[in-house]
Amino acid sequence: MLQKTHSLAGLLAAESVVLYFNEPLISWESAALLMIGCLAGPLADIDKPGSTIARIFFPVSALLRFLKIRHRTLTHSLICILGLYFLLLPLPQTYLWASLLAYASHTLLDLFNEQGVALLWPLRMKFRLIPKFLAVKTGSVTERLIQIFLLVSIVLLPIIIR
Ligand SMILES: [Zn+2]
């Protein structure tokens, strides 16, 4: 999936947290949470050389490459999400859940991609939620439709919830 798609999913995840914790949508706190969602959404692709997020966090992506950590393995795995949960545990609940759910939204979206995800890394087995012939190709019309769905959800969710 494209970074734009992951940012939208991360934003939707963070917005859900803002609404769940009854934070006013127009506030510095919510702005920070939504920004975190936008950044945490594409963060797992730090393992993909050449991706924007890998260029932003070059030392980490270089380290992953040095350690021969392949794309859609460690950073997309359940063990990484669990590790992130414990790492973020000292943060206030809103920051913990906005960051974690936005990060996990990445793996969830990639599970619809045709290459699949090594969800149980270090096991090499790749998982996909739908059969390969239905899987979403990166940059395809289907991915564009997913982006539109996410965007509409981001706009409508606060109206429906409140
Ligand atoms: Zn990915």
Side-chain angles (χ1 to χ4, degrees):
M1 301 274 179
L2 298 169
Q3 180 174 341
K4 207 186 299 178
T5 313
H6 288 301
S7 283
L8 286 171
L11 182 61
L12 181 61
E15 184 185 56
S16 305
V17 171
V18 166
L19 295 170
Y20 179 81
F21 284 96
N22 286 315
E23 290 286 340
L25 207 51
I26 311 290
S27 67
W28 288 111
E29 177 98 0
S30 296
L33 292 167
L34 297 177
M35 191 86 83
I36 287 169
C38 264
L39 289 171
L43 191 57
D45 276 347
I46 200 165
D47 65 354
K48 186 180 174 189
S51 71
T52 307
I53 210 79
R55 276 185 261 146
I56 293 171
F57 298 101
F58 176 73
V60 180
S61 67
L63 177 67
L64 290 173
R65 209 171 325 147
F66 176 75
L67 296 172
K68 300 197 184 317
I69 303 291
R70 300 181 66 184
H71 183 40
R72 293 202 176 109
T73 57
L74 167 66
T75 61
H76 291 62
S77 68
L78 288 177
I79 201 163
C80 185
I81 294 169
L82 191 66
L84 203 59
Y85 168 76
F86 286 111
L87 191 73
L88 299 175
L89 212 47
L91 292 179
Q93 291 285 295
T94 48
Y95 286 89
L96 163 71
W97 290 110
S99 308
L100 195 71
L101 293 180
Y103 188 89
S105 74
H106 187 113
T107 298
L108 180 65
L109 269 183
D110 276 358
L111 282 168
F112 290 92
N113 202 283
E114 65 179 342
Q115 290 99 333
V117 171
L119 202 58
L120 300 178
W121 187 91
L123 295 179
R124 286 181 171 194
M125 192 190 336
K126 291 222 172 172
F127 292 86
R128 206 181 319 105
L129 285 177
I130 50 178
K132 197 165 188 167
F133 73 95
L134 284 174
V136 180
K137 286 193 178 115
T138 303
S140 65
V141 174
T142 311
E143 181 165 7
R144 190 83 185 129
L145 292 173
I146 291 171
Q147 288 176 350
I148 292 168
F149 171 78
L150 290 169
L151 200 58
V152 169
S153 302
I154 290 164
V155 173
L156 291 182
L157 194 63
I159 299 166
I160 295 167
I161 299 288
R162 301 245 157 125

